[in-house]
Every structure is written in C-alpha cells, then in structure tokens.
Amino acid sequence: PPASTGIGAATRDAACALDLLAVAPGPGSPVRLERLVSPVQPDAVRYGSLFSRGATVRGRATTLVELSGTAAVGSTGATVHAGDVRGQTSHALEAFAGLLAAAGGRPTDLAAATAFVRRAEDARAFRELAAGRGLDGLPALCVVGDVCREDLLFEIDGEALLGE
C-alpha cells in the first residue's frame, strides 16, 4: 500500500531526489503493512490519482505511519478554498490529523513533516495555523515548491512513530 508525495523542488544540481522505504515481511514475521483510509478525504483512486493517503508498518512494539502529501481536496477530489492559502492550509491540516488519528496517532506523535507552500510568504500562514492547533513545536520543514496541482497552495506529508 504505497504512500507518496511527489513535489517539484530544486535540489542543487540533482535531476531527481527520492526516499524509498521497502518492506517485505517474511513468513511468520510480526510485521504487518496496512493502507490508511482517510476519514475526511476520499480514496484518491476514486478521482483518478494512483496513491494511497497513507500506510502503516506495524511491528511488535511500534508502528511506523507514513502520511502521503495531504492538500485541500474535497469529497469529490476537487480543490477546495481556491486562492485562499489559510483555508487550504486549515483544510489540509484537518485531513492530515484525521489520517493520523485513523492510524491511532495524534499530531504530537509526528517525528517529521514537510510542509510545501507555493509561495514563500505563505509559510507564515502554515506556522500560525499549526500553532493555533497547539502544534507550534511540530517538527516540520517548510519548503517552497510546486504543489501537485496549479490551484493548490499548500500540502503536507509526514511520518510518525507510535508505541503500542
């Protein structure tokens, strides 16, 4: 069940930058892979995108949660809050928190996150809205780059490690 984020951003002189986590549990392994379903957003496959909202790798004592890029996408797959970075950011943070909750976590369980903004001045909106949700210490790197659609101004992905 892949979780993905594909964002265009310059990485020095590299043509491509990629992180990959591959897991193949052997027979009798306690490791389980599970696809996450968002309680807030539709399955992306329903509107023509080929990625999952997130995935978990559950072990005996811990669960790794991989959260795909989450943006202001409504129930039909269309962008919501067009032109409104605060509205889009708030919607994305709500969906992101809902997805993490579906895995049994809370935003304070995040080990790392990347917030993507289309315009540098929009990073402030992200920081203010995150702080308003009690996430001022969120371990998030804010990056200026292309978001997956022209009309999207904000997207966030992340990883959490949960103890069981």
Short mmCIF file of all heavy atoms in Angstrom, two decimals, residues 5-31:
data_model
loop_
_atom_site.label_atom_id
_atom_site.label_comp_id
_atom_site.label_asym_id
_atom_site.label_seq_id
_atom_site.Cartn_x
_atom_site.Cartn_y
_atom_site.Cartn_z
N THR A 5 4.38 11.20 -1.98
CA THR A 5 4.32 12.63 -2.20
C THR A 5 5.27 12.89 -3.35
O THR A 5 6.41 12.47 -3.34
CB THR A 5 4.79 13.43 -0.96
OG1 THR A 5 3.90 13.16 0.11
CG2 THR A 5 4.80 14.91 -1.23
N GLY A 6 4.78 13.56 -4.35
CA GLY A 6 5.63 13.92 -5.49
C GLY A 6 5.58 15.42 -5.68
O GLY A 6 4.61 15.95 -6.20
N ILE A 7 6.57 16.11 -5.23
CA ILE A 7 6.60 17.57 -5.26
C ILE A 7 7.84 18.02 -6.02
O ILE A 7 8.93 17.52 -5.78
CB ILE A 7 6.66 18.16 -3.82
CG1 ILE A 7 5.43 17.75 -3.02
CG2 ILE A 7 6.83 19.66 -3.84
CD1 ILE A 7 4.15 18.40 -3.45
N GLY A 8 7.66 18.98 -6.88
CA GLY A 8 8.81 19.52 -7.61
C GLY A 8 9.48 20.62 -6.81
O GLY A 8 8.84 21.57 -6.40
N ALA A 9 10.73 20.47 -6.53
CA ALA A 9 11.52 21.49 -5.84
C ALA A 9 12.98 21.29 -6.25
O ALA A 9 13.42 20.15 -6.42
CB ALA A 9 11.38 21.38 -4.32
N ALA A 10 13.69 22.36 -6.42
CA ALA A 10 15.09 22.25 -6.83
C ALA A 10 15.92 21.64 -5.71
O ALA A 10 15.81 22.02 -4.56
CB ALA A 10 15.63 23.62 -7.19
N THR A 11 16.74 20.65 -6.04
CA THR A 11 17.64 20.02 -5.09
C THR A 11 19.04 20.11 -5.66
O THR A 11 19.51 19.19 -6.32
CB THR A 11 17.24 18.55 -4.85
OG1 THR A 11 15.87 18.51 -4.52
CG2 THR A 11 18.05 17.93 -3.74
N ARG A 12 19.67 21.25 -5.47
CA ARG A 12 21.00 21.53 -6.01
C ARG A 12 21.03 21.20 -7.50
O ARG A 12 20.19 21.61 -8.25
CB ARG A 12 22.07 20.83 -5.21
CG ARG A 12 22.09 21.31 -3.77
CD ARG A 12 23.35 20.89 -3.08
NE ARG A 12 23.26 21.27 -1.69
CZ ARG A 12 24.04 22.16 -1.14
NH1 ARG A 12 24.96 22.76 -1.84
NH2 ARG A 12 23.91 22.45 0.12
N ASP A 13 21.98 20.39 -7.93
CA ASP A 13 22.09 20.06 -9.35
C ASP A 13 21.49 18.70 -9.69
O ASP A 13 21.65 18.20 -10.80
CB ASP A 13 23.57 20.06 -9.78
CG ASP A 13 24.16 21.46 -9.69
OD1 ASP A 13 23.40 22.43 -9.89
OD2 ASP A 13 25.37 21.58 -9.42
N ALA A 14 20.80 18.08 -8.72
CA ALA A 14 20.25 16.74 -8.94
C ALA A 14 19.05 16.80 -9.88
O ALA A 14 18.24 17.72 -9.81
CB ALA A 14 19.83 16.13 -7.61
N ALA A 15 18.95 15.82 -10.73
CA ALA A 15 17.79 15.71 -11.61
C ALA A 15 16.61 15.10 -10.87
O ALA A 15 15.47 15.30 -11.22
CB ALA A 15 18.15 14.86 -12.82
N CYS A 16 16.92 14.36 -9.80
CA CYS A 16 15.87 13.67 -9.07
C CYS A 16 16.33 13.43 -7.64
O CYS A 16 17.51 13.14 -7.41
CB CYS A 16 15.57 12.33 -9.76
SG CYS A 16 14.32 11.35 -8.93
N ALA A 17 15.40 13.54 -6.71
CA ALA A 17 15.67 13.18 -5.32
C ALA A 17 14.56 12.27 -4.87
O ALA A 17 13.39 12.51 -5.17
CB ALA A 17 15.73 14.43 -4.44
N LEU A 18 14.90 11.19 -4.16
CA LEU A 18 13.89 10.20 -3.82
C LEU A 18 14.25 9.51 -2.51
O LEU A 18 15.41 9.18 -2.28
CB LEU A 18 13.83 9.15 -4.94
CG LEU A 18 12.94 7.95 -4.76
CD1 LEU A 18 11.48 8.35 -4.95
CD2 LEU A 18 13.30 6.88 -5.79
N ASP A 19 13.26 9.32 -1.66
CA ASP A 19 13.38 8.47 -0.49
C ASP A 19 12.45 7.30 -0.73
O ASP A 19 11.36 7.47 -1.24
CB ASP A 19 12.90 9.19 0.78
CG ASP A 19 13.89 10.22 1.27
OD1 ASP A 19 15.06 10.15 0.87
OD2 ASP A 19 13.48 11.08 2.06
N LEU A 20 12.87 6.13 -0.34
CA LEU A 20 12.07 4.94 -0.55
C LEU A 20 12.21 4.03 0.65
O LEU A 20 13.31 3.82 1.16
CB LEU A 20 12.54 4.21 -1.81
CG LEU A 20 11.88 2.87 -2.12
CD1 LEU A 20 10.43 3.09 -2.54
CD2 LEU A 20 12.65 2.16 -3.22
N LEU A 21 11.10 3.52 1.11
CA LEU A 21 11.08 2.53 2.18
C LEU A 21 10.39 1.30 1.62
O LEU A 21 9.22 1.36 1.23
CB LEU A 21 10.31 3.05 3.40
CG LEU A 21 10.04 2.05 4.51
CD1 LEU A 21 11.35 1.59 5.14
CD2 LEU A 21 9.12 2.65 5.55
N ALA A 22 11.10 0.20 1.54
CA ALA A 22 10.53 -1.05 1.05
C ALA A 22 10.48 -2.04 2.21
O ALA A 22 11.45 -2.20 2.94
CB ALA A 22 11.38 -1.61 -0.09
N VAL A 23 9.35 -2.68 2.38
CA VAL A 23 9.16 -3.63 3.47
C VAL A 23 8.59 -4.92 2.88
O VAL A 23 7.60 -4.89 2.16
CB VAL A 23 8.19 -3.08 4.53
CG1 VAL A 23 7.98 -4.09 5.64
CG2 VAL A 23 8.68 -1.75 5.08
N ALA A 24 9.23 -6.02 3.17
CA ALA A 24 8.76 -7.33 2.71
C ALA A 24 8.83 -8.30 3.88
O ALA A 24 9.85 -8.98 4.07
CB ALA A 24 9.60 -7.81 1.54
N PRO A 25 7.78 -8.38 4.69
CA PRO A 25 7.80 -9.28 5.83
C PRO A 25 7.90 -10.74 5.38
O PRO A 25 7.23 -11.15 4.44
CB PRO A 25 6.47 -9.04 6.53
CG PRO A 25 5.88 -7.84 5.90
CD PRO A 25 6.54 -7.65 4.59
N GLY A 26 8.74 -11.49 6.04
CA GLY A 26 8.90 -12.91 5.73
C GLY A 26 7.84 -13.75 6.43
O GLY A 26 7.06 -13.23 7.25
N PRO A 27 7.80 -15.03 6.14
CA PRO A 27 6.84 -15.92 6.78
C PRO A 27 7.00 -15.88 8.30
O PRO A 27 8.11 -15.91 8.82
CB PRO A 27 7.21 -17.30 6.24
CG PRO A 27 7.99 -17.03 4.99
CD PRO A 27 8.67 -15.72 5.19
N GLY A 28 5.89 -15.75 9.00
CA GLY A 28 5.92 -15.72 10.46
C GLY A 28 6.33 -14.38 11.05
O GLY A 28 6.42 -14.23 12.26
N SER A 29 6.62 -13.39 10.22
CA SER A 29 7.04 -12.09 10.71
C SER A 29 5.89 -11.39 11.42
O SER A 29 4.74 -11.47 10.98
CB SER A 29 7.50 -11.22 9.53
OG SER A 29 7.70 -9.89 9.96
N PRO A 30 6.17 -10.67 12.51
CA PRO A 30 5.12 -9.91 13.18
C PRO A 30 4.79 -8.60 12.46
O PRO A 30 3.86 -7.90 12.85
CB PRO A 30 5.73 -9.63 14.56
CG PRO A 30 7.20 -9.54 14.27
CD PRO A 30 7.46 -10.57 13.20
N VAL A 31 5.52 -8.27 11.41
CA VAL A 31 5.32 -7.01 10.71
C VAL A 31 4.10 -7.11 9.80
O VAL A 31 3.94 -8.08 9.05
CB VAL A 31 6.57 -6.63 9.88
CG1 VAL A 31 6.31 -5.40 9.04
CG2 VAL A 31 7.76 -6.41 10.80
#
